[in-house]
Amino acid sequence: MKNETTQPSWAPLAAYLAVCVIWGSTYLAISMAVKTIPPLLMVGMRFIVAGVLLLGWRLARGEKLPPLKTFAQSAITGVLLLFFGNGGVSWAEVNLASGLTAIIVAAVPLWMVLIDRGHWKDSFSDPRVIVGLLLGFAGVVFLVTAGGGSVNFSLRNAAQRTSFIVLMIGSIAWAVGSIYSKSNPVPGTTSMKAALQMLSAGVVLLVVSCFTGDWAHVDWHQVSARSWGGLVYLIIFGSLVGYLSYIYVLGVWPAARVGTYAYINPVVAVFLGWAIASEPLSAGQSIGLAVILAGVMLVNSRQFSKGRISPILAARKT
């Protein structure tokens, strides 16, 4: 990584804005892709192609393949983050609006605090964390009860209820995978480990999609141009450009400053869903988003004051 002083002064800001906009826009791209491509098959293709491209790039730069232990640990992390996490998001967006999905996923940092038992004593000694947790989960409850009715969402709808449960499981798995990755560091560049995570998750997703009937039910002649466009966008921008921009800006800016992208992503997702996909933007949805983000900011306020950030905010790599 080049020193910050050798880079154009606008480069870090441009990379940061790319992360904010691109990762926020992936929710809409997923929504477009799963319209005519089964979700597990779609996300499996996404990570296989992105993983191969990223791995090829690292090998072309002279990096060696890591030892078997690194493969195994990267596979575990990839399955938790990308199979359950991103796979759950893609599966849920068949029945949930992209903006609503992004708002629910915004609560992931709260799961991180609850699951990270090793830091409970430190976390729960700060009243800001406790208030932030209560506030964040209150926002989720409001969103899926009072706030969800005006955005065509109801827990009485069996498909939407199942999608919500899958999304919550995926969010928890993302938090678990982030803790596992942080607690079990492995050698190698971040890019190489990300490539292995993508490939591992992609293989599992394609195998599982066989058992769920995705391959049997997909009609490639009926896949729309919008779905293909969404998939290509996810591969190129979501999994490659966005990720590399994130790695670059993380190397030249303090992590706490970079981590604020996590507060902007759902706002971008909600706006794009409303502006491009004509998804309803209700007062309840706006209130739920504001309450959840307020809770997340409170939970992470101590990390920001110390110039560092909760690892979950820096974990969304794809």
Side-chain angles (χ1 to χ4, degrees), residues 89-288:
V89 167
S90 299
W91 197 87
E93 284 202 40
V94 173
N95 298 299
L96 300 181
S98 62
L100 181 64
T101 302
I103 295 174
I104 296 173
V105 172
V108 166
L110 308 180
W111 290 114
M112 180 69 174
V113 174
L114 290 178
I115 295 171
D116 193 5
R117 185 175 181 180
H119 292 87
W120 277 1
K121 183 177 180 180
D122 181 53
S123 295
F124 292 107
S125 64
D126 190 332
R128 291 175 295 182
V129 173
I130 298 174
V131 174
L133 285 171
L134 294 175
L135 192 62
F137 285 115
V140 174
V141 172
F142 172 81
L143 185 70
V144 300
T145 54
S150 54
V151 289
N152 301 320
F153 173 78
S154 173
L155 289 177
R156 295 182 180 180
N157 182 300
Q160 292 187 332
R161 182 172 63 249
T162 302
S163 296
F164 173 74
I165 293 172
V166 169
L167 188 59
M168 295 303 290
I169 292 173
S171 297
I172 294 171
W174 186 281
V176 173
S178 299
I179 295 172
Y180 173 83
S181 178
K182 184 174 178 62
S183 303
N184 298 273
V186 293
T189 65
T190 304
S191 300
M192 175 61 77
K193 287 181 283 188
L196 298 179
Q197 291 170 15
M198 291 182 197
L199 288 171
S200 301
V203 169
V204 175
L205 282 159
L206 292 183
V207 171
V208 173
S209 69
C210 293
F211 291 97
T212 58
D214 282 7
W215 286 93
H217 294 100
V218 65
D219 184 348
W220 297 109
H221 298 289
Q222 297 300 317
V223 175
S224 68
R226 285 173 63 87
S227 289
W228 283 122
L231 177 57
V232 171
Y233 182 90
L234 289 168
I235 292 170
I236 297 176
F237 292 96
S239 295
L240 296 176
V241 176
Y243 171 71
L244 294 176
S245 296
Y246 172 75
I247 291 299
Y248 164 70
V249 73
L250 193 63
V252 295
W253 274 11
R257 191 193 306 178
V258 180
T260 56
Y261 81 83
Y263 303 133
I264 302 174
N265 282 171
V267 178
V268 172
V270 169
F271 173 76
L272 291 178
W274 167 77
I276 297 178
S278 300
E279 294 179 357
L281 180 58
S282 70
Q285 192 175 17
S286 301
I287 293 172

Side-chain angles (χ1 to χ4, degrees), residues 4 8-20 248-249 252-253 257:
E4 184 177 6
S9 59
W10 51 264
L13 179 59
Y16 171 76
L17 292 176
V19 172
C20 292
Y248 164 70
V249 73
V252 295
W253 274 11
R257 191 193 306 178

